[in-house]
Amino acid sequence: ARGIAKTFNLSESQVGKQLVRLESGGVLVSREFGKTKVFEFNPRFAFKNELLALLKKALSFMPEEEKQQFYRQRRRPRRTGKPL
């Protein structure tokens, strides 16, 4: 939620509420790693492939400048010896 909120200049609580709604609707699932809650698409969601295709198609119509505005490289290097 924090990364999404920073990227799109939104409140972290707004993003968190939407993620929880998507999780309660079965679109997303979450796992906790310590204090961090990580969300991903629910592999059992009936329309997962269709939703991903729609998102990819929407991204393909987005102007390149706008894509670059929201794309961020990793800010810190990986730990030495950590597998990719």
Side-chain angles (χ1 to χ4, degrees):
R2 183 176 295 137
I4 295 170
K6 274 186 175 182
T7 300
F8 295 103
N9 295 323
L10 299 170
S11 135
E12 195 174 328
S13 63
Q14 287 177 320
V15 174
K17 287 176 187 177
Q18 291 304 317
L19 289 172
V20 169
R21 283 182 179 175
L22 288 168
E23 184 179 24
S24 67
V27 177
L28 299 177
V29 291
S30 67
R31 289 183 276 151
E32 292 195 20
F33 293 100
K35 292 182 177 181
T36 306
K37 196 170 192 180
V38 178
F39 289 88
E40 63 185 3
F41 285 104
N42 183 354
R44 295 181 181 173
F45 181 59
F47 302 108
K48 177 188 171 207
N49 293 334
E50 290 83 357
L51 177 60
L52 290 176
L54 176 67
L55 292 173
K56 285 179 185 177
K57 190 168 187 174
L59 186 62
S60 73
F61 285 104
M62 186 181 287
E64 197 61 38
E65 303 83 39
E66 197 170 343
K67 285 183 201 177
Q68 291 303 318
Q69 177 185 357
F70 295 119
Y71 176 74
R72 292 184 180 195
Q73 287 282 356
R74 186 174 173 86
R75 295 175 204 240
R76 57 191 173 108
R78 295 178 78 75
R79 186 179 72 223
T80 306
K82 185 175 180 179
L84 295 175

